Amino acid sequence: MDAERRVLSDAAVAIDGARIAAVGKADAVVERFGDAERLPGRGMVALPGLIDAHAHADQSLLRGRTDDLPWVPFLADWIDPYLQGRDPADAVEAYRLTMLEMLRSGTTCFVSPNVDPRDDLAALVDAIGTMGLRAVLAHWVDGPEALETASGAVERWDGAAVGRVRLRFGLDIPRLPGDRYQPSLYPAVASRARELGSGIVSHFCSETEDWVYYEERFGLRPSQWAEGVGILGPSTLLINGCWLTAVEAQVLAATGTPVVASPTATMKMASGTTPVRDLRDAGVTVALGTDGAANNNGFDMWREMKTACLAQNAARGRAGTLTAEDALEMATIEGARALGMADELGSLEPGKRADVVLVDLARAHSWPAPDPVSNLVYAAHSGNVDTVIVDGTVLLRDGAPVGVDEERVLDEAALAAARVAALLPERAPRWPRL
């Protein structure tokens, strides 16, 4: 993922502290750093840690409960009661389960776009810091009082966990006619984000109702409205964007506003398909995200990369509309660029943070590998991940988490899921359970 997109054979990566010191042919690197501790990687592919730019980390407890629902009952009958009634401690257990899955699948950085004001941020930050991953937490804002609460959270927690946790504002925007429209809120959030050197995360133009609402109420396309209220720019991350048009592509490119596509979730909910090819061709940075276990059923970025390619090919009716190379960029360097972290993350280059994943392709389902990029995107899955390193610290080795009581995480998540079930509608399985 360097500027030339080189694929180096017989290579080595040297790590000094939390940063990459050298990348090159193994003989040359070993000659310079011969006394360094060595991690075996022969026969594996080293790549940057994957970046999940849209991951509701608190929704892993809902896995398998909300299948086959359109977005209005999904949000109103399931997600809202869960957010409003859950114990903050259960949200922490959800994060731990999510991060365990991410760790096992090579995701080293994620964006959680709806940190609820009732959540225990101290406990969440502690859990993230203990697991060792990177996170961008967007604190939910739905009014002036929530803006003050979120501002305090950004001031207190942005840069926590040795810089691995960043805080942003999670902006609530209209999704239905008359729903939560507060004209003064959007520029106020944008202004506060600029003051604090933070940013915004917002679901945007995800459903057909979105663009209809903007056009009927304001006579504008969604991007034109968003630009008018001042919320666009490089520090704003727009999620989904299934109904963006050429107008949006032009506005987002001109303002430097990135988008994150979540193909599995939007296809599963029949929301639509983000026009990734059109956006990228227009110069818009497009990252990739899983959305969450409630409507994707997992946080596996390997599946997401493959799905991204298939969705674009199917939507356009042309093979190769989105290539494996495109998808791998979206999951690494483009994800870093979308978060304003391309100088630190997203590629294996000297000086960058030592977030490295080793992937073993010598498996029946991913071998032979004449083109490792093709195999990574189209054939590999989370089970191929052997080693995960974040800031130079080994978090996964030989496919097993280091310093994590995996059994305890799973047990505590099961107990939390049972408690959460009481907040949700009953939904009988289609097939009888005996």
Side-chain angles (χ1 to χ4, degrees):
M1 282 302 143
D2 63 8
E4 292 78 32
R5 301 296 189 263
R6 295 177 301 162
V7 179
L8 302 179
S9 303
D10 302 318
V13 179
I15 296 172
D16 185 4
R19 295 192 179 270
I20 296 172
V23 180
K25 290 295 185 178
D27 290 345
V29 174
V30 169
E31 185 176 352
R32 288 180 59 193
F33 302 94
D35 294 334
E37 175 190 358
R38 300 190 195 184
L39 292 179
R42 183 172 297 278
M44 299 185 193
V45 177
L47 69 156
L50 304 181
I51 297 172
D52 188 340
H54 175 203
H56 292 272
D58 60 334
Q59 291 183 11
S60 55
L61 301 183
L62 304 182
R63 195 188 321 264
R65 293 187 178 275
T66 55
D67 291 344
D68 308 324
L69 292 174
W71 75 277
V72 174
F74 172 79
L75 291 178
D77 297 341
W78 296 81
I79 301 302
D80 287 347
Y82 170 64
L83 292 176
Q84 294 165 12
R86 71 189 182 194
D87 188 309
D90 290 337
V92 175
E93 296 306 328
Y95 266 73
R96 288 197 178 102
L97 180 61
T98 294
M99 289 188 291
L100 178 60
E101 180 182 356
M102 289 177 170
L103 178 59
R104 281 189 156 279
S105 56
T107 293
T108 57
C109 178
F110 66 95
V111 178
S112 193
N114 71 331
V115 175
D116 193 271
R118 293 170 287 260
D119 285 339
D120 184 344
L121 260 174
L124 289 179
V125 169
D126 180 68
I128 295 165
T130 299
M131 192 70 73
L133 298 184
R134 300 187 191 278
V136 177
L137 307 180
H139 198 287
W140 199 239
V141 177
D142 60 3
E145 183 177 340
L147 175 57
E148 293 308 311
T149 301
S151 298
V154 171
E155 291 178 309
R156 171 66 180 86
W157 298 108
D158 189 38
V162 202
R164 287 197 295 271
V165 173
R166 306 304 306 269
L167 262 288
R168 288 194 180 194
F169 295 88
L171 187 58
D172 192 16
I173 64 172
R175 303 195 76 192
L176 287 172
D179 180 28
R180 303 185 182 100
Y181 178 56
Q182 303 175 66
S184 62
L185 178 63
Y186 316 108
V189 172
S191 176
R192 190 63 57 85
R194 286 192 298 270
E195 289 174 12
L196 298 178
S198 181
I200 294 169
V201 179
S202 178
H203 293 76
F204 192 75
C205 215
S206 301
E207 315 292 337
T208 55
E209 291 91 342
D210 289 345
W211 69 265
V212 170
Y213 172 76
Y214 290 112
E215 289 197 347
E216 288 183 349
R217 177 150 188 173
F218 306 109
L220 298 170
R221 286 294 305 172
S223 61
Q224 295 170 325
W225 172 84
E227 185 178 25
V229 297
I231 61 173
L232 297 186
S235 60
T236 291
L237 182 66
L238 299 181
I239 292 173
N240 292 337
C242 297
W243 298 96
L244 301 176
T245 66
V247 173
E248 272 72 44
Q250 182 178 4
V251 172
L252 298 182
T255 57
T257 308
V259 174
V260 51
S262 310
T264 300
T266 55
M267 286 197 301
K268 187 181 178 196
M269 298 187 74
S271 298
T273 303
T274 308
V276 173
R277 181 74 276 157
D278 294 339
L279 292 171
R280 282 172 62 91
D281 287 348
V284 178
T285 296
V286 184
L288 198 61
T290 57
D291 198 335
N295 59 358
N296 181 331
N297 301 69
F299 298 92
D300 189 333
M301 285 289 286
W302 303 95
R303 293 177 179 177
E304 212 62 40
M305 284 190 282
K306 182 174 182 176
T307 301
C309 295
L310 304 187
Q312 294 299 305
N313 295 352
R316 282 285 189 89
R318 179 172 64 83
T321 297
L322 197 73
T323 66
E325 290 79 5
D326 292 328
L328 193 57
E329 287 176 339
M330 291 167 64
T332 54
I333 189 62
E334 294 301 294
R337 186 168 290 118
L339 299 182
M341 299 180 181
D343 291 340
E344 293 282 298
L345 309 176
S347 64
L348 301 185
E349 298 181 87
K352 286 199 171 185
R353 291 284 174 179
D355 292 7
V356 185
V357 175
L358 295 182
V359 182
D360 184 3
L361 293 180
R363 309 284 181 86
H365 62 273
S366 55
W367 194 258
D371 180 355
V373 177
S374 173
N375 284 44
L376 287 169
V377 173
Y378 290 131
H381 54 60
S382 59
N384 289 86
V385 176
D386 178 89
T387 301
V388 174
I389 302 168
V390 176
D391 265 352
T393 298
V394 179
L395 303 181
L396 187 85
R397 187 73 193 112
D398 296 326
V402 177
V404 177
D405 188 340
E406 187 167 7
E407 185 175 354
R408 181 177 179 182
V409 172
L410 297 176
D411 288 344
E412 293 296 333
L415 294 173
R419 290 189 292 268
V420 163
L423 306 173
L424 306 174
E426 288 193 23
R427 202 169 181 217
R430 295 190 180 99
W431 291 0
R433 295 188 62 178
L434 306 179

